[in-house]
Amino acid sequence: MAVARTVAVLAASAGLVGVVACAPPESENAGSGSSAAVATSAAELGGLDKLVEAAKKEGQLNVIALPPDWANYGEIIKAFSSRYGIKVNSAQPDAASQDEINAANQLKGQSGAPDVFDLGDAVARANVPMFAPYKVTTFDEIPAALKAADGAWVNDYGGYMSIGYDSSKVPAPQSMADLLKPAYKGKVALNGDPTQAGAAFSGVVMAALGSGGSADDIAKGVDFFAQLKDAGNFLPVDPTPATIESGQTPVVIDWDYLNVAQGAKLKDKATWKTVVPQGAVVGSYYVQAISKGAPHPAAARLWQEFLYSDEGQNLWLAGGARPVRADAMDKAGTIDKTAYASLPVTTGEPVFLTEAQTTKAKEALTANWAKAVG
């Protein structure tokens, strides 16, 4: 379930939240002489039409770590390429956020370097100097807490932790406590190791909230999984599309958009359900940014314009992810109402961990996780 994609992703703060395809060395970055490389808005290039013209002249866009079945990126890439006639080179689709940064550093000055990044909060926070500030035309509709004031980074899409389950094999869980019942014996899987994988990390946070704990102290979340193991309900198997389709992992703790997308791929789509437990709503957003060393700076900026347009936002929504402009689009009547209404229902205020809370939780997991489930 694209665990690698989540390795560097820890629950996002609302504040900021291998070998790459080879390319020959170049003496100078292909985009370094372009005015687009320093443009902080389409207006600085003469407007969107001029940006489109410059991007089409470049003809290519390099993306990295974008699995086609992750947040609908397969369709997003197709739509962008079809609309503008720009070839999208997608490297290492299952890479982690840190791999994106590594690739940018390793391929600096080469035509195969990443133009844009889609990162987890922790990695984005540590690499802001590598980002080129840019404000898309819809920038003002993005909540201030979910973007850098200069546009160096902007949250793009996110979701909530959830429980995905096969309704033909287990009863519908309404709370984390339900998963401790005998009906779930040997059936509950967590997407990864929470000391390494962001989805699993947030799954423990969700368990903490659902067990009377808090974002400041996730000890009850670790205790919950210890109880789950003692009850014989914890299944130490990383869920994949194959394990879900076969029935090996009939209950999966993962992001809601991944659980929803998984259900859409099953032969019997009607049996797979996704629920966000009441009183345990843990949210996270990913971060979008342009590389300062983008070899195709105009295409990189046009990609951002597309992603934050109504069309791009609705394509993320079609993949079960919650686009960052959702509230503004809902008010304007431009959101895909059917897709929006089909998102898992949430009850209660979402919790977004701060950097300090994330650090404290990571320390607690490092010290106690192995003892709890080992």
Side-chain angles (χ1 to χ4, degrees):
M1 244 180 174
V3 172
R5 183 74 177 86
T6 65
V7 166
V9 185
L10 298 177
S13 158
L16 165 56
V17 222
V19 179
V20 181
C22 295
E26 296 176 0
S27 59
E28 183 179 27
N29 187 304
S32 62
S34 167
S35 58
V38 293
T40 60
S41 70
E44 290 185 7
L45 294 171
L48 274 176
D49 289 345
K50 291 295 185 181
L51 175 60
V52 171
E53 183 181 321
K56 285 184 174 181
K57 186 176 180 180
E58 291 173 351
Q60 297 188 60
L61 174 75
N62 298 338
V63 300
I64 183 171
L66 302 183
D69 58 352
W70 178 283
N72 208 28
Y73 262 120
E75 292 304 314
I76 290 171
I77 290 171
K78 287 180 186 176
F80 175 80
S81 184
S82 175
R83 176 177 291 275
Y84 298 111
I86 293 172
K87 180 184 178 183
V88 178
N89 306 308
S90 182
Q92 298 189 89
D94 291 319
S97 291
Q98 186 58 47
D99 294 327
E100 300 181 49
I101 299 301
N102 294 346
N105 287 326
Q106 292 162 4
L107 297 175
K108 186 175 182 180
Q110 299 183 33
S111 61
D115 286 307
V116 290
F117 303 115
D118 186 322
L119 303 163
D121 177 72
V123 174
R125 189 189 301 278
N127 292 282
V128 174
M130 294 180 65
F131 306 156
Y134 183 79
K135 295 182 181 180
V136 294
T137 55
T138 56
F139 191 76
D140 289 344
E141 295 183 5
I142 299 166
L146 301 179
K147 63 188 178 186
D150 65 353
W153 60 266
V154 184
N155 286 135
D156 43 16
Y157 62 89
Y160 300 118
M161 283 308 300
S162 68
I163 303 170
Y165 65 97
D166 187 336
S167 61
S168 70
K169 294 182 171 62
V170 296
Q174 297 301 318
S175 67
M176 295 302 291
D178 284 346
L179 299 181
L180 296 171
K181 296 176 180 178
Y184 299 92
K185 192 171 185 67
K187 293 180 169 63
V188 183
L190 178 64
N191 188 5
D193 179 338
T195 65
Q196 301 178 43
F201 171 91
S202 295
V204 177
V205 177
M206 178 174 70
L209 297 179
S211 304
S214 70
D216 292 314
D217 185 358
I218 67 162
K220 289 188 176 180
V222 176
D223 290 344
F224 171 84
F225 279 96
Q227 294 173 47
L228 200 67
K229 179 180 181 294
D230 290 342
N233 294 8
F234 184 55
L235 182 62
V237 173
D238 282 348
T240 66
T243 65
I244 292 173
E245 182 70 67
S246 69
Q248 182 184 3
T249 55
V251 180
V252 174
I253 295 174
D254 204 349
W255 296 115
D256 58 354
Y257 53 90
L258 296 184
N259 270 327
V260 168
Q262 181 54 50
K265 292 185 291 185
L266 295 177
K267 293 176 183 176
D268 188 355
K269 298 178 177 60
T271 65
W272 187 260
K273 311 289 185 183
T274 301
V275 62
V276 176
Q278 184 174 353
V281 186
V282 180
S284 175
Y285 279 97
Y286 278 85
V287 175
Q288 191 72 213
I290 296 171
S291 173
K292 276 187 177 177
H296 310 104
R301 284 157 175 78
L302 184 59
W303 172 251
Q304 301 301 307
E305 294 285 358
F306 181 74
L307 292 179
Y308 291 97
S309 69
D310 289 348
E311 182 180 0
Q313 295 279 289
N314 276 323
L315 282 168
W316 267 324
L317 180 58
R322 300 169 192 268
V324 74
R325 288 183 53 235
D327 287 347
M329 290 170 63
D330 189 30
K331 291 177 182 176
T334 58
I335 201 161
D336 182 333
K337 295 186 183 301
T338 300
Y340 200 37
S342 69
L343 292 175
V345 176
T346 62
T347 304
E349 191 70 21
V351 172
F352 293 87
L353 269 67
T354 64
E355 184 177 10
Q357 289 170 332
T358 296
T359 298
K360 185 177 179 182
K362 286 172 61 179
E363 291 171 350
L365 282 167
T366 299
N368 300 302
W369 179 254
K371 291 183 290 186
V373 301

